[in-house]
Amino acid sequence: MITMELELLLLGLEPLVAVTVGAGAIVVGGGALALSPAFGEVLGKPELAQELQESGRSMVKTGLVLSLDAYDKVQTAWTETSTTVGQLLEEAKTEAKQVRMQEEVQAAS
């Protein structure tokens, strides 16, 4: 039981961390993409601007991949949780029905 709770906690934290890191990479990478032409002009080194653009592009892609991975994990966890809750609900309804039937039988005797 404790292992399951720990697993659920970690499952909840992993996508959150991935989205946070992914968003940071998108912001930083996007900034690098936007500012790279200015750096190239100011420093007079177009090759630096090109390298900065490639790095920014890579960071944005990594951020998107992390975010999409986190989304998939959350979606999978949600599906598993809703299935489990649905099964528990059906079991509870069945047990409640059995209790009512036993009470009716006892009341009739």
Side-chain angles (χ1 to χ4, degrees), residues 25-87:
I26 291 169
V27 169
V28 171
L33 280 172
L35 296 175
S36 61
F39 281 133
E41 287 291 319
V42 169
L43 298 175
K45 296 186 178 185
E47 64 277 356
L48 178 63
Q50 182 65 28
E51 288 179 25
L52 193 56
Q53 279 184 332
E54 289 174 15
S55 295
R57 189 172 155 80
S58 176
M59 288 177 76
V60 170
K61 272 198 289 187
T62 300
L64 290 171
V65 167
L66 287 171
S67 297
L68 289 172
D69 185 47
Y71 174 77
D72 287 342
K73 287 181 181 180
V74 167
Q75 189 174 16
T76 300
W78 180 259
T79 301
E80 290 173 0
T81 301
S82 64
T83 300
T84 301
V85 169
Q87 290 171 346

Side-chain angles (χ1 to χ4, degrees), residues 5-46:
E5 291 171 354
L6 182 60
E7 185 177 307
L8 289 174
L9 174 66
L10 293 177
L11 184 63
L13 289 177
E14 184 182 352
L16 181 62
V17 170
V19 166
T20 303
V21 170
I26 291 169
V27 169
V28 171
L33 280 172
L35 296 175
S36 61
F39 281 133
E41 287 291 319
V42 169
L43 298 175
K45 296 186 178 185

